[in-house]
Amino acid sequence: MSRPLEESPYAFTVPALVEAVPAARDRVVDRARGLGLALDEELTHDLKLLTGELVANSVTYTQAACAVCVRWTGERLRVEVTDVDPTLAAPSMALSTDEHGRGLFLVAAVATAWGSQPCAAGKKTWFELAVPACAEATATLTPSHGEVAAEQAIVNREGNGHPAVVGPVPITGAHAQVEHQAA
């Protein structure tokens, strides 16, 4: 049974390691291409940059794993990063001598839209990019056998400091294909 593409998000967890950020960026790009979206070199660069900023912020400031969800809205590619910190993301006022603190300014400058909102797990920070879709992407997507509810992609940190998948904690009303990324 198939269903409209925009109802089929893809989610995975990222361990609480900055070293896991490049693999997360690559997975998001692979998923966008798997959806049949036309990613030129510039869009691929933007997608990796924005994903890297949100995932790095999440694992750095929460010191916990996060969930990344990728979906096609029918008009835009949307990437959501859910973490356990309820503090909404906002650009900081970095000094010219600061080495950090400009990531969300980059997200705001490059993304078509972006935001941060509270959710049951903590917060969800997202961005959208206007990406042309190929003809196949506007058709349907066949769900895989491993499909589970998106709320099962929520992550938390257990006493030993290693990320674990916990659930169910609702983060969206949609269903997602969930894969876990090895450290």
Side-chain angles (χ1 to χ4, degrees):
M1 177 180 198
S2 62
R3 58 191 172 167
L5 188 58
E6 56 269 11
E7 295 177 16
S8 299
Y10 170 84
F12 61 94
T13 57
V14 178
L17 303 167
V18 174
E19 296 82 13
V21 174
R25 290 190 306 240
D26 291 341
R27 278 183 91 166
V28 168
V29 169
D30 289 346
R31 178 58 176 168
R33 287 188 176 129
L35 291 171
L37 301 177
L39 296 180
D40 61 17
E41 187 176 331
E42 182 178 351
L43 277 171
T44 300
H45 178 267
D46 291 349
L47 183 55
K48 284 184 173 190
L49 173 70
L50 300 180
T51 299
E53 289 297 336
L54 294 191
V55 173
N57 282 352
S58 179
V59 299
T60 299
Y61 295 115
T62 66
Q63 296 183 342
C66 62
V68 178
C69 182
V70 182
R71 73 178 77 228
W72 173 246
T73 68
E75 296 178 12
R76 296 178 179 166
L77 178 66
R78 183 178 176 106
V79 177
E80 301 169 346
V81 178
T82 302
D83 64 42
V84 298
D85 184 358
T87 306
L88 297 182
S92 63
M93 297 302 295
L95 299 174
S96 61
T97 56
D98 290 342
E99 291 185 24
H100 302 284
R102 293 175 188 80
L104 291 177
F105 284 111
L106 284 171
V107 173
V110 175
T112 305
W114 83 279
S116 185
Q117 62 197 61
C119 67
K123 75 169 167 303
K124 181 185 303 181
T125 305
W126 57 270
F127 68 85
E128 294 179 347
L129 288 173
V131 178
C134 297
E136 296 134 17
T138 58
T140 59
L141 177 69
T142 305
S144 75
H145 62 45
E147 191 168 283
V148 297
E151 59 264 15
Q152 292 180 8
I154 290 300
V155 293
N156 201 349
R157 196 173 108 178
E158 295 190 327
N160 63 4
H162 295 288
V165 175
V166 297
V169 179
I171 58 171
T172 68
H175 293 288
Q177 174 183 336
V178 178
E179 291 183 16
H180 304 283
Q181 180 171 321

